[in-house]
Amino acid sequence: MDNLSLLWGGLESAVTPENLLWAALGVLLGTFVGVLPGIGPAMAVALLLPVTYGLEPTQAFIMFAGIYYGGMYGGSTTSILLNTPGESSSVMTAIEGNKMAKAGRAAQALATAAIGSFIAGTVGTLGVVFFAPALADVAVRIGAPSYLAITIMALVLVTAVLGTSRLRGFIALFLGLTIGLVGLDLNTGQPRLSFGTTQLADRLDIVVVAVGIFALGEALWVAAHLRRTPMQITPVGQPFMGKDDWRRSVGPWLRGTALGFPFGAVPAGGAETPTFLSYLAEKKLSKHPEEFGRGAIEGVAGPEAANNASAAGTFVPLLALGLPVTATATIMLAALQGYGIQPGPQLMTEQPDLVWTLLASLLIGNTLLLVLNLPLAPLWARLLRVPRPYLYSGILFFASLGAYTVNLDAFDLFLLLVFGLLGLAMRRFGLPVLPLVLGVILGPILESKAREALAISGGSASGLVDEPLAVAVYTVVALLLLVPFVVARLRPARPRTDGGATPETGKRTDDGELVER
């Protein structure tokens, strides 16, 4: 009850007409900047940080919260409408969300993303309020072997489940892991795959890779087929969710929230892994698994809830340990330090007023996100009425702008073109793009945790399974991979009805994968 009274005090100091105006302005600015392809919440907060200079700490915090959640929702908007994730944690949203948009259900996808974001953000913020000390203590105890096991689980399961061929999936994963090796070796400092180019000495920024593979690859694919396919305007559809949409979204919202928050509270967790696992869980639990890959609303609701719950969970290590676990949290840490706040174990006792005002601001910003953006879902969806030549020329402009603003280096534009051509080639040969992006994101984490676990054990391989959680995760992975294989072996073969013909090719989807006729 003490926490509730402290939170209520923070709400009383934050809820004023002037502060609500700052929060609304932050939400609109964050959404507007976050909706630009290639500019995720971290970039949105960084670009809009100077706007808060000169404000009082309370006003700055509540505007931060609006920008933060607005940028998060903006990333999901570009994923759904344009198949262009603004950040790596929005990759899963693009899979089903963009398919829903092309089927005339863009408004429903945006609505379920907004409501899921609100539920997950609210529950996650309350989780920070009540469980920050305990969760911080648990997070510190999770070691490198468990992180390594969870990373391997995400890699293997996503690669094995997505796409029409496991072989194509693992080829794409291999490409992603190879791209993730670019840069300096973590131990020796020697350059790897840099080809003597100083700009490749650092690791490739995931924004450049994701924007190139998704946005530029998509634009080139559409341009290559524009003359052969008639010009069509994607229908927007009804602006509200129906009863069936609500029924199918409630479970994924709750499961995604429960899955995402612990991952955000774990140092070095991030939102990528829970969004991947949420997608897999919803596909396994869905009563309509055949809709996945064609626009299943569960595939939007679950990952979006996991994404935002994880984003709220990152405030546990940020406030309790002073440890930012995402790029956005790093910028938030710099902003807090600019106001004389040094996050750490003593923060809540030394500066309780500012801390509880910040947490109250997160609740306010999250609520205003829903109030302002839910009615705007049909308006955002009307972007799809823009003719494709104009739409994709705009995508190319903003994608190039987003890639350039990462490091303000023209070399990133060259990398953007390279990855765009790679994305085009992958669509041409039916390689799923998600395992590649997943390999780039989780590859460095995989390497870091594997080396850390081996260093702790003195080079012994037993150090990789030195924690009960790691053993449990590896057991789950083995069961999930072996059980379908064993069941398929034991199941009697069905008589063929197509005369034995095996189609080599069929209709190609927008992601470049081949499906049977």
Side-chain angles (χ1 to χ4, degrees):
M1 295 303 293
D2 290 339
N3 289 348
L4 277 177
S5 61
L6 291 171
L7 180 62
W8 183 257
L11 284 170
E12 288 180 340
S13 62
V15 179
T16 65
E18 185 179 1
N19 287 344
L20 291 178
L21 179 61
W22 288 115
L25 182 61
V27 168
L28 292 176
L29 288 176
T31 305
F32 178 75
V33 176
V35 80
L36 300 179
I39 300 181
M43 187 65 65
V45 173
L47 291 175
L48 296 174
L49 189 60
V51 178
T52 63
Y53 290 164
L55 298 179
E56 295 295 328
T58 300
Q59 297 172 345
F61 292 159
I62 197 169
M63 193 170 183
F64 284 155
I67 293 172
Y68 184 58
Y69 283 117
M72 294 288 293
Y73 182 71
S76 66
T77 301
T78 58
S79 298
I80 292 170
L81 297 182
L82 307 176
N83 197 27
T84 306
E87 57 166 349
S88 54
S89 57
S90 297
V91 168
M92 299 307 301
T93 305
I95 297 177
E96 302 299 331
N98 188 248
K99 293 292 193 303
M100 289 183 65
K102 292 180 177 180
R105 290 170 48 80
Q108 283 77 11
L110 291 171
T112 193
I115 298 173
S117 299
F118 169 75
I119 294 174
T122 302
V123 174
T125 303
L126 293 176
V128 176
V129 171
F130 290 104
F131 304 111
L135 286 175
D137 183 62
V138 171
V140 172
R141 296 181 182 179
I142 295 179
S146 297
Y147 281 123
L148 176 65
I150 294 171
T151 305
I152 292 176
M153 179 172 65
L155 287 170
V156 173
L157 293 187
V158 173
T159 302
V161 169
L162 293 179
T164 57
S165 167
R166 289 193 177 188
L167 176 60
R168 289 193 181 107
F170 280 104
I171 291 174
L173 177 63
F174 175 77
L175 291 174
L177 293 174
T178 303
I179 295 172
L181 291 175
V182 175
L184 298 179
D185 185 271
L186 298 177
N187 285 358
T188 65
Q190 295 296 318
R192 300 182 302 192
L193 301 178
S194 63
F195 306 102
T197 305
T198 56
Q199 289 91 338
L200 294 178
D202 294 329
R203 293 191 179 276
L204 297 176
D205 194 282
I206 185 59
V207 171
V208 178
V209 178
V211 171
I213 294 292
F214 279 95
L216 194 58
E218 178 81 5
L220 293 176
W221 177 257
V222 171
H225 296 80
L226 196 58
R227 293 184 178 180
R228 293 191 301 171
T229 56
M231 177 63 66
Q232 296 179 352
I233 304 299
T234 305
V236 174
Q238 295 297 321
F240 303 108
M241 294 174 60
K243 291 183 179 180
D244 187 61
D245 294 328
W246 281 93
R247 180 182 58 81
R248 295 176 58 176
S249 297
V250 171
W253 287 337
L254 299 178
R255 286 188 291 267
T257 300
L259 185 62
F261 182 73
F263 274 90
V266 172
E272 292 84 4
T273 300
T275 55
F276 294 139
L277 297 181
S278 174
Y279 181 86
L280 293 175
E282 297 309 322
K283 185 173 184 179
K284 293 291 185 181
L285 297 174
S286 176
K287 296 180 180 179
H288 308 278
E290 71 282 355
E291 293 186 14
F292 278 75
R294 300 178 182 177
I297 195 170
E298 297 93 336
V300 179
E304 271 303 299
N307 183 16
N308 283 268
S310 177
T314 58
F315 281 92
V316 172
L318 178 64
L319 297 177
L321 304 175
L323 181 62
V325 299
T326 64
T328 308
T330 303
I331 299 171
M332 294 290 286
L333 175 61
L336 293 175
Q337 291 174 339
Y339 284 93
I341 301 176
Q342 182 57 51
Q346 305 300 321
L347 177 63
M348 289 192 175
T349 57
E350 293 179 353
Q351 296 177 301
D353 293 339
L354 290 177
V355 171
W356 291 105
T357 300
L358 172 62
L359 294 177
S361 300
L362 292 175
L363 290 175
I364 295 171
N366 193 36
T367 303
L368 286 178
L369 172 71
L370 181 67
V371 172
L372 294 176
N373 276 320
L374 192 57
L376 292 176
L379 179 62
W380 288 119
R382 289 184 182 277
L383 286 174
L384 297 176
R385 292 188 178 274
V386 178
R388 283 184 294 178
Y390 303 108
L391 179 61
Y392 282 96
S393 63
I395 292 176
L396 291 178
F397 172 77
F398 286 112
S400 302
L401 178 63
Y404 178 74
T405 53
V406 171
N407 299 308
L408 298 179
D409 189 351
F411 184 75
D412 287 337
L413 297 178
F414 170 74
L415 292 178
L416 182 70
L417 176 60
V418 171
F419 288 118
L421 294 174
L422 178 60
L424 174 64
M426 294 180 70
R427 286 166 170 79
R428 170 61 182 84
F429 294 104
L431 297 177
V433 297
L434 179 60
L436 182 145
V437 178
L438 178 63
V440 177
I441 296 170
L442 298 184
I445 298 177
L446 179 73
E447 179 185 5
S448 174
K449 297 305 177 183
R451 289 189 173 187
E452 184 179 343
L454 291 174
I456 294 174
S457 63
S460 173
S462 61
L464 301 177
V465 291
D466 202 24
E467 293 182 356
L469 179 58
V471 176
V473 172
Y474 286 131
T475 302
V476 170
V477 172
L479 289 176
L480 291 176
L481 288 179
L482 293 178
V483 168
F485 177 78
V486 173
V487 171
R489 284 285 186 180
L490 296 178
R491 182 180 301 168
R494 295 180 180 179
R496 304 196 61 159
T497 60
D498 57 358
T502 302
E504 293 294 333
T505 60
K507 182 180 179 181
R508 187 176 296 276
T509 68
D510 294 310
D511 290 333
E513 297 181 7
L514 296 176
V515 296
E516 294 182 0
R517 296 183 186 274

